[in-house]
Amino acid sequence: PGHVFLCPFRTCPGHQFVGSPEGWWELLCREATTVPSTRYQIEELPGVGQYIANAIELIRFGIARPLLDVNMARVLERYFGPRELADIRFDPYLTSLAQAVVDCETPLLLSWAILDLGATVCTSRAPRCASCLLASECNYAKGISCAKGEIGVADAGGRKQ
């Protein structure tokens, strides 16, 4: 199943659109009389927050924006160090770090790679540090530094000490 977005049009049952950010954007372009072209206009749409606005700018307009969710936040924090605030959307360290990381030639591919790494290898409960390509430089894998409340690992099996 896809993501659920608020739909500003009556064409969606219950004013919800189920699908991908790309599909939501296509619906919006089809139904809207004026298609948003600035970040401010995008964020003014119903149901659009930081993640969806970043996804629209990245996927639709090719602007380097991070797809910062809990998976990306976990990978970045474990590799670079912890954020200060509980809410990832408003933490200045984490949001600027995520932006700096994806400021490259292929921001969409890098964002997807980090999201996949966080979902499959650098998981919240049982990280598989031994199979991670970043482990040799990762603070969490070395047991040096990690997200608030976490204890880094020091053995090759990825088990917490």
Side-chain angles (χ1 to χ4, degrees):
H3 300 281
V4 177
F5 301 98
L6 291 177
C7 179
F9 311 109
R10 296 191 187 277
T11 57
C12 299
H15 294 284
Q16 291 186 341
F17 172 78
V18 178
S20 66
E22 299 92 346
W24 183 86
W25 183 255
E26 293 300 326
L27 170 72
L28 182 67
C29 290
R30 222 179 26 249
E31 299 288 331
T33 55
T34 304
V35 177
S37 59
T38 68
R39 176 69 182 221
Y40 176 78
Q41 291 171 335
I42 293 168
E43 288 181 343
E44 287 296 304
L45 296 170
V48 174
Q50 181 190 63
Y51 183 90
I52 297 300
N54 282 355
I56 290 169
E57 284 191 309
L58 176 61
I59 295 166
R60 199 70 186 148
F61 300 120
I63 299 170
R65 295 284 188 244
L67 300 178
L68 184 58
D69 71 352
V70 294
N71 289 317
M72 181 180 272
R74 184 173 50 256
V75 170
L76 295 178
E77 286 183 274
R78 286 179 174 173
Y79 192 86
F80 293 104
R83 66 181 181 256
E84 293 297 317
L85 304 177
D87 192 329
I88 63 175
R89 298 171 299 168
F90 304 114
D91 186 87
Y93 166 75
L94 189 58
T95 55
S96 64
L97 174 62
Q99 182 61 53
V101 166
V102 300
D103 192 17
C104 65
E105 298 262 337
T106 56
L108 181 58
L109 291 177
L110 183 56
S111 287
W112 282 341
I114 294 170
L115 292 172
D116 287 346
L117 181 68
T120 61
V121 177
C122 191
T123 61
S124 62
R125 293 193 178 136
R128 297 183 301 126
C129 297
S131 61
C132 181
L133 297 173
L134 302 177
S136 65
E137 297 298 320
C138 177
N139 285 330
Y140 183 84
K142 293 190 234 178
I144 296 171
S145 173
C146 50
K148 287 183 177 180
E150 285 189 323
I151 300 170
V153 296
D155 69 357
R159 294 178 296 271
K160 291 184 181 178
Q161 292 188 343

